[in-house]
Amino acid sequence: MGKITFGTSGWRAILADDFTFANVKIAVTAIAQHLQTTGEASKGLLVAGDYRFLSEEFMKATAQVLAGHGIRTYLCPVGTPTPTVSYELIRRQTAGSINFTASHNPYQYQGLKFNGSDGGPAPVQVTLALEALAESLSQKGGPLPEMPYDQADAKGLIVPIDPKEPYFSRLRELVQFDVIRKARLRVVLDEMHGNGAGYIDQLLQEAGVNVKVLHSNRDPFFGGGHPEPSVSELPDAIQLVKTWPAHLGLANDGDADRFGVIDSDGTFITPNEVLCILLEHLIKTRPWKGSVVRTVPTTHMIDAIAKAHQVTVRETPVGFKYIAEIMGQEPIIIGGEESGGLTIHGHVPEKDGILANLLMVEVMAQEGRTFGSILKSLHQEYGDCFGDRLNIQLKEGLKEAMTAKLKDHPPQEIAGQKVKEIVRKDGTQFILENGDWLVVRFSGTEPLMRCYFESKTVEGLEKLRQAGTELTRV
């Protein structure tokens, strides 16, 4: 039985292998004990889950364990989006939330995500404490405190709630639906069999948008693919955008905290490009003051836009919990990461793929032109920037060998350029003499090694791709 380990976004593991009811009860007990220690247990916890296998059963088991510790559960409907959970726990001022989701991971996975009372993913010091508590409980063995569900319900320790409408009210404050209403757009929406069903489509239809929805039914197998809004997973949406035709296409991942955007010609707009489009849009349309927060492997075109508008950029390791920490310290305009996570000023310190997609609809409605045209304007004003990444499946010994290679024998030259600086804030980043860069790091949510790279030219990008392929071969 594997150890309970919290990565960049909670504990994820293979169902019936390490992700078992026994381990879930240990993890929840650790959270309950932690909250009793901090004095927050009396505030209660939100409990939610996505549409994966056994989510309802894990939610029920969690409520029973929390009740055994005298902690009230506010039980959300299964399929409640992660950002909705985050907003509701802030609104209710609970001690936090336990959310059963493995986000964009394949169907074999389940996950447990713990967010604190600020609405953001639990910081490292908290997850380390939870891991230590869970390990201690596992070593001790024996029965854990819990209360039968019916008894807990009768005692008022389980309170069913539906946080959808309060969350909708907040989105109506953040998104300019009056602008969207005037544009009479046609939008394709791929729910990827996930939690976003009944959210974006309902709000857009209220604003007079003609919406065609794909894959909104519950399917724990996610149609045989991954619930990740990437170009490889969205062929149906891309095709429908072109043949309908639609002004744009949208998608959310399994728990609706990540976004996917498709232009009117079927071109997939990368998360990096979305961040750049929205940063420029928000600076020009909102009166907000604050910094921009991005993770290490996220595009540096954000830096160019921010510099032109005299906005400070904060760089963090990968993981939205680090962006959330910055949000707790200072106001921001936007925070995001290249993997499709984003939040904005005054909103939750958590990824919100629903909000991100709605803001892109607002951009299309206001600009009245394609995203490709908008990106062309950005490149003309701030300079060209091209990025990509490689995903390498981890095999036995690869992580150890690669870690040693990058530490003991880092390259002095990459893609014909001398390495100007090596930064180890997250993984290993090589900054080259011409300003191009390459990062190698290990995923905190999947058994993958990732190689990210960015260049000011298409030719430079291809050279970095080849260099990255060679560098990650051990």
Side-chain angles (χ1 to χ4, degrees), residues 48-51 55 59 76-82 194-197 199 218 254-255:
D50 65 16
Y51 285 135
S55 282
M59 291 164 63
C76 298
V78 69
T80 298
T82 289
N195 288 11
Y199 279 76
R218 182 176 185 175
D255 65 329

Side-chain angles (χ1 to χ4, degrees), residues 204-350:
L204 289 181
Q205 286 163 357
E206 289 176 4
V209 176
N210 190 352
V211 184
K212 287 192 177 182
V213 181
L214 297 171
H215 310 129
S216 61
N217 61 302
R218 182 176 185 175
D219 178 5
F221 289 105
F222 302 108
H226 292 191
E228 180 174 12
S230 61
V231 62
S232 62
E233 300 294 332
L234 298 172
D236 294 345
I238 290 170
Q239 182 65 21
L240 184 55
V241 165
K242 292 189 292 185
T243 58
W244 182 9
H247 292 92
L248 72 157
L250 305 171
N252 285 125
D253 67 338
D255 65 329
D257 67 348
R258 298 186 185 213
F259 58 85
V261 179
I262 302 164
D263 209 352
S264 59
D265 64 354
T267 300
F268 182 78
I269 307 301
T270 69
N272 276 331
E273 292 170 333
V274 170
L275 285 168
C276 291
I277 290 171
L278 287 182
L279 172 58
E280 178 83 350
H281 176 73
L282 292 173
I283 287 174
K284 290 183 176 180
T285 62
R286 306 301 199 267
W288 305 335
K289 302 296 181 183
S291 60
V292 175
V293 191
R294 63 160 178 81
T295 56
V296 167
T298 299
T299 180
H300 288 196
M301 189 173 185
I302 286 173
D303 302 47
I305 297 171
K307 182 179 180 181
H309 293 283
Q310 298 181 316
V311 172
T312 301
V313 175
R314 305 290 188 203
E315 183 182 74
T316 74
V318 173
F320 221 79
K321 56 190 172 186
Y322 300 108
I323 294 175
E325 286 181 8
I326 299 291
M327 290 181 71
Q329 299 165 8
E330 62 186 76
I332 72 161
I333 296 171
I334 192 170
E337 52 188 3
E338 65 79 40
S339 58
L342 177 153
T343 192
I344 64 172
H345 177 91
H347 195 42
V348 295
E350 176 63 277

